[in-house]
Amino acid sequence: MKMSYHPLFAAILLLVACSSHQKKILIYANSKIAVDETQKNITVEDGTTQVEKELDFSSSGTVVLNITGPAGKFTLEATEDGYWLANLGADTVVGSIQHTGSTKQTRITQDQLKFQLDSLNKLVKGANVSAASKNYFISPGKIAIITPLTDIKIFGPFTPVPSAFDASSVSEVYKFYNVSEVYNIISKLTEMSKYKYDKGDENKVDDDDSVYTIHPAKK
């Protein structure tokens, strides 16, 4: 049986169908990000300051960004709905999902330290990156989809996740670093791994999660 729709009802159906598509693109650059009224023509300059800008699109088709920057002219494409990150900076960026909760880790074992070092060394080489693990390695001039969700929060390079941030206000939380930052973290953790750590002399009750005073002693 053929069905007919009132013009107003048909218009509402069309509006709902169009509004169901959403792409957000977070741009990282090292200088001011200039975007035209279409949000698809983007110009960045060379610089040394971490800058970011979020673009919002509601179309169902592929979004093509026309980039003009220190590396020349090129295009980037966001093909599916979700949250994307476009790296227009000079350094590779790496990051991963953050598992948030009320439990605060105040101590780390040598095994945990070795595991973190191994993971970071692999991450800066792009060796353990996968969609399933929700970690990312995005070279300069590249774009990657982070998640099909758009109500997320990404904390970028040189921006720590605030202790007072309400993670329940978004679906997912991510933290990204410049590769140069990660190498600095690796250097510090490597130095820590050269020592054994003894608990301090202060009194401590079992349910107190404040940090122990630790005294490095050469292995």
Side-chain angles (χ1 to χ4, degrees):
M1 181 176 67
K2 185 177 180 180
M3 298 181 66
S4 61
Y5 295 97
H6 187 279
L8 179 59
F9 183 61
I12 294 174
L13 287 177
L14 179 61
L15 180 61
V16 171
C18 292
S19 63
S20 63
H21 292 282
Q22 188 174 29
K23 298 177 182 69
K24 288 189 176 182
I25 303 176
L26 180 62
I27 298 175
Y28 283 166
N30 296 131
S31 186
K32 182 179 178 181
I33 303 169
V35 181
D36 73 352
E37 65 276 3
T38 70
Q39 298 192 100
K40 296 180 180 180
N41 296 305
I42 299 164
T43 302
V44 297
E45 298 178 359
D46 201 4
T48 58
T49 303
Q50 175 69 26
V51 180
E52 60 183 62
K53 186 175 184 63
E54 186 182 76
L55 308 179
D56 201 341
F57 301 91
S58 59
S59 60
S60 60
T62 297
V63 172
V64 179
L65 302 180
N66 302 301
I67 312 298
T68 301
K73 294 184 178 182
F74 57 96
T75 60
L76 296 175
E77 295 185 358
T79 56
E80 57 192 275
D81 290 351
Y83 202 103
W84 296 72
L85 197 158
N87 181 17
L88 304 186
D91 199 358
T92 294
V93 293
V94 296
S96 64
I97 192 169
Q98 302 297 291
H99 300 288
T100 58
S102 57
T103 301
K104 182 174 64 176
Q105 183 177 5
T106 58
R107 295 173 294 280
I108 184 170
T109 67
Q110 285 292 325
D111 286 341
Q112 289 172 325
L113 183 59
K114 291 177 182 177
F115 177 80
Q116 288 187 11
L117 270 170
D118 182 62
S119 296
L120 288 173
N121 276 304
K122 288 179 178 178
L123 184 60
V124 294
K125 298 173 183 175
N128 62 345
V129 171
S130 70
S133 298
K134 291 197 171 184
N135 53 12
Y136 308 89
F137 180 98
I138 308 175
S139 303
K142 301 297 182 181
I143 189 172
I145 186 167
I146 305 304
T147 171
L149 305 172
T150 54
D151 60 329
I152 70 167
K153 176 64 178 178
I154 294 180
F155 292 93
F158 311 107
T159 305
V161 179
S163 58
F165 176 71
D166 180 10
S168 66
S169 63
V170 294
S171 295
E172 294 175 339
V173 179
Y174 292 81
K175 178 70 181 82
F176 275 80
Y177 302 86
N178 283 349
V179 161
S180 56
E181 282 186 280
V182 182
Y183 276 120
N184 188 42
I185 295 171
I186 289 174
S187 177
K188 291 179 179 179
L189 292 181
T190 300
E191 187 63 27
M192 287 176 61
S193 69
K194 296 177 181 178
Y195 297 86
K196 64 179 181 180
Y197 289 85
D198 300 320
K199 188 176 72 172
D201 299 327
E202 69 280 288
N203 294 323
K204 184 175 178 63
V205 295
D206 291 339
D207 60 351
D208 178 11
D209 69 349
S210 60
V211 179
Y212 280 109
T213 299
I214 52 178
H215 306 287
K218 279 288 188 181
K219 289 183 178 179

